[in-house]
Amino acid sequence: MEDSGTSSAGESIGLPAVIKATARQLLVKSGAGGLSLDAVARDGGLAVTDVEAVFPCRDDLLTALVVDAYNESGSAMERADRAAGEAGAPAGTRLLAVARALRQWSFDNPAEFALIYGSPVPGYHAPQDTVPPAARTPAVLAGIVRSALQAGELTPPRRAVPGPPLLLPQAVELFGGVPEAPFSDIVERGIVLWSNLIGLLVFQVFSRTHDSVRDESAFFDFAIAVAAEGVGLVVPPGENTD
């Protein structure tokens, strides 16, 4: 191996970026299960010791990719929400905008989407470092629901969550506290909305709806509107956030 190729790549965009870019290409080709430092070094024209100097083991590299994926997808949603908010859009329109943004990111980056929302990687256990980036998606949804509640845009639920609250303290903290009745179960409902969004994307990114509906984009918008009803939020029909 010639040193010149390695050094020029490392100097132009930085060795960590070169390694992660190569790893992302491997995700597309082989999935997370096929990722190894040896494979990254081989495909990137690097020495294994160079890769190990930045990411000592495979799990360190996986964690970097997971954090990047969460941050990039969360940032896409935040930008969409900011743009919709600056345009004076109501909460239902903001929700559709951020859901569409996450959908676009997911289709643009299916390997990264699979990494964070697909099957667990054998032998990998995500460290605490991944928690704040992972929280960005539900935080955007929580912010929209919370502002809708404050603006009086939510319809009270017809069916309350039975029994005592089902929440962990982290979920309550993310939302900013538990509202008074009749919206005291809004955080649980928000988690249902969040899981519906991710589940719908799993179906669409992994081609589980293409043989069931004629227009997957229109179906996505419809499904988000239906899911939003669970938190008492109305997504206007035919809403265009583009």
Side-chain angles (χ1 to χ4, degrees):
M1 185 191 328
E2 297 183 1
D3 293 338
S4 58
T6 301
S7 61
S8 62
E11 291 171 4
S12 61
I13 62 174
L15 187 55
V18 170
I19 294 170
K20 289 195 290 185
T22 304
R24 291 188 183 99
Q25 293 171 359
L26 278 168
L27 287 179
V28 174
K29 290 195 304 181
S30 307
L35 188 66
S36 70
L37 299 189
D38 286 340
V40 171
R42 181 191 66 239
D43 284 21
L46 303 167
V48 174
T49 52
D50 290 340
V51 178
E52 291 175 339
V54 181
F55 300 105
C57 68
R58 181 209 66 160
D59 285 7
D60 294 324
L61 177 55
L62 269 175
T63 295
L65 297 177
V66 167
V67 167
D68 283 353
Y70 277 130
N71 279 330
E72 290 167 9
S73 58
S75 180
M77 296 177 70
E78 291 161 1
R79 288 194 302 270
D81 188 35
R82 189 160 50 247
E86 290 172 353
T93 302
R94 289 171 57 193
L95 176 65
L96 183 58
V98 304
R100 285 176 171 176
L102 183 58
R103 181 179 189 268
Q104 187 62 56
W105 179 87
S106 302
F107 275 94
D108 289 344
N109 303 276
E112 287 84 352
F113 176 84
L115 177 63
I116 57 177
Y117 293 122
S119 300
V121 180
Y124 174 72
H125 302 282
Q128 192 67 22
D129 294 351
T130 62
V131 174
R136 291 177 70 169
T137 290
V140 173
L141 300 178
I144 293 172
V145 174
R146 185 169 55 247
S147 66
L149 177 62
Q150 294 168 347
E153 297 182 45
L154 294 185
T155 301
R158 290 179 293 177
R159 176 178 179 177
V161 172
L166 303 173
L167 303 170
L168 292 173
Q170 299 92 314
V172 176
E173 181 181 357
L174 181 68
F175 189 78
V178 176
E180 298 291 333
F183 298 106
S184 54
D185 61 1
I186 196 65
V187 183
E188 288 96 333
R189 294 176 181 277
I191 295 172
V192 173
L193 173 63
W194 173 31
S195 59
N196 281 344
L197 169 60
I198 300 303
L200 177 61
L201 286 172
V202 167
F203 261 56
Q204 293 211 326
V205 172
F206 299 148
S207 298
R208 296 292 186 266
T209 56
H210 75 282
D211 57 354
S212 302
V213 298
R214 287 196 298 269
D215 187 331
E216 290 192 87
S217 179
F219 178 78
F220 179 85
D221 289 358
F222 166 75
I224 293 301
V226 171
E229 293 176 357
V231 295
L233 192 58
V234 174
V235 174
E239 191 66 48
N240 186 355
T241 64
D242 297 334

